[in-house]
Amino acid sequence: MNDGAGSSRKKRVFSGMQPSGEAHLGNYLGALSRWVDMQDDFDCIWCIVDDHAITAGGDPAELPGHVFDLAVSYVAVGLDPERAIIFVQSDVHQHTELAWLFNAVTPVGDLERMTQFKDKSQRFESVPAGILNYPILQAADILVYKSDAVPVGEDQKQHIELTRDIARKFNAAYGDTFPEPEPLIGRAGRILGLDGDAKMSKSLGNTVPILSEPDEIWERVRTAVTDPQRVRRDDPGRPEVCNVFALHGHFGDAALVEDVATQCRAATRGCVDCKRILSENISKRFAPFRARAAELKAKPTLVREILDDGANRARAIAEETLREVRERMGLDWRRGVPNG
Ligand code: ADP
């Protein structure tokens, strides 16, 4: 982006992931691989959103370990602390402070019509307010850095629309402060889980974790649901309805994908052999990540330093925004004390 004054400023992007379990192949294709590619062209901020994770009601004793594991995954896949800010949300309290202030401009009706709220609230007898207010914190995560864009999956598009509404409403009420960030929706779309039915998701146990060893990857991929009409090995299969075939498209070249489709239709290769090829290709693609993760796990101090340094850099930007916001909202009471 050029500001017209001869200097140029990279567009800023923010995105995050919940530390609610092992990062998986859907996270990689839908989010992490894109984030890695963006690091040269954008000013990137990658967050581990633990304040969000508490709304899922996991075991507090496990949360710190999940944060460490996700930090290892971030760096292992290629998020680079030299080129991006990598940090943990709860280290930068300005996120939650801004979320509270955004309550002032966010209609409850807007929160209630969010698809994710409707889905998630069904799982509770008494719905925690955090499930309803989740998108306000998400808006604060993004806007506290005045981000220009947010790389997310299709599932998050509605929340980014709400973030834009919140920015617009805040600007109208208190003066021009925030940009309206663009969602950058990835081409990978929604990766289905090994059940071949629901979105691949940490909470559903239908995943292939990125850092699994080859034999663990095989244990998972072996269970993948294929074309339900292909009962016996010599039944011709339908690649177009098979999730294993869809996954081959992400891990094999064009020649392999064509071969898989042809052999499936002709029943010349069985599903188990087909899954074996997929499992090997996934293992191969993720091999460098496993190696890097092993190095990082052996150097926990390095991981801590990356996150501490990231939090310091993030906090400096976030506090600048909060100072401006507090002033615009009249939360600087010292201005009201007469001189003397
Ligand atoms: P999960 O549902 O596994 O808990 P998150 O909600 O933490 O994953 O999502 C982190 C990022 O990964 C988001 O940008 C989201 O859009 C992306 N993502 C998660 N699951 C998938 C999937 N199955 N397919 C594509 N992208 C996904």
Side-chain angles (χ1 to χ4, degrees), residues 28-38 151-153 184-187:
Y28 179 71
L29 296 173
L32 293 170
S33 62
R34 301 175 58 219
W35 299 1
V36 170
D37 291 344
M38 296 177 90
V152 280
L184 303 175
I185 309 292
R187 263 170 303 158

Side-chain angles (χ1 to χ4, degrees), residues 137-296:
L137 181 56
Q138 203 172 345
D141 299 335
I142 296 163
L143 293 173
V144 81
Y145 303 105
K146 301 194 177 181
S147 308
D148 300 295
V150 195
V152 280
E154 183 71 36
D155 55 325
Q156 292 297 327
K157 202 170 162 192
Q158 201 185 26
H159 287 173
I160 309 304
E161 274 307 319
L162 184 66
T163 298
R164 292 165 61 87
D165 286 345
I166 290 175
R168 211 174 303 130
K169 288 201 170 84
F170 186 96
N171 292 346
Y174 300 105
D176 206 12
T177 310
F178 294 110
E180 288 179 35
E182 299 283 338
L184 303 175
I185 309 292
R187 263 170 303 158
R190 191 164 154 269
I191 307 295
L192 290 186
L194 296 176
D195 50 9
D197 184 33
K199 183 187 107 155
M200 187 177 284
S201 179
K202 294 180 211 101
S203 53
L204 298 176
N206 58 2
T207 68
V208 180
I210 298 169
L211 299 180
S212 290
E213 292 299 324
D215 54 341
E216 293 162 345
I217 294 178
W218 170 238
E219 280 310 309
R220 298 286 184 113
V221 172
R222 202 170 55 87
T223 67
V225 172
T226 54
D227 176 2
Q229 279 184 21
R230 195 174 180 196
V231 182
R232 283 179 301 269
R233 195 187 184 288
D234 49 2
D235 290 337
R238 298 169 301 165
E240 60 282 1
V241 301
C242 178
N243 188 38
V244 169
F245 177 70
L247 290 172
H248 271 298
H250 294 286
F251 290 92
D253 58 18
L256 175 86
V257 172
E258 200 187 315
D259 176 67
V260 166
T262 309
Q263 303 235 32
C264 175
R265 286 201 182 92
T268 43
R269 182 185 288 131
C271 290
V272 175
D273 290 339
C274 187
K275 289 179 192 177
R276 236 186 227 292
I277 298 171
L278 175 64
S279 174
E280 280 164 15
N281 282 339
I282 295 172
S283 295
K284 225 181 286 169
R285 171 86 66 87
F286 291 164
F289 307 159
R290 289 195 295 279
R292 179 93 181 105
E295 283 170 29
L296 289 160

Side-chain angles (χ1 to χ4, degrees), residues 96-171:
T96 42
E97 183 179 351
L98 185 60
W100 172 254
L101 301 178
F102 279 166
N103 277 305
V105 293
T106 311
V108 172
D110 285 4
L111 299 170
E112 282 170 341
R113 68 178 171 75
M114 292 293 113
T115 313
Q116 277 205 5
F117 168 68
K118 288 185 196 160
D119 287 351
K120 284 188 184 170
S121 56
Q122 310 237 325
R123 301 180 204 161
F124 296 89
E125 212 169 288
S126 159
V127 182
I131 299 285
L132 181 67
N133 291 331
Y134 190 107
I136 302 186
L137 181 56
Q138 203 172 345
D141 299 335
I142 296 163
L143 293 173
V144 81
Y145 303 105
K146 301 194 177 181
S147 308
D148 300 295
V150 195
V152 280
E154 183 71 36
D155 55 325
Q156 292 297 327
K157 202 170 162 192
Q158 201 185 26
H159 287 173
I160 309 304
E161 274 307 319
L162 184 66
T163 298
R164 292 165 61 87
D165 286 345
I166 290 175
R168 211 174 303 130
K169 288 201 170 84
F170 186 96
N171 292 346

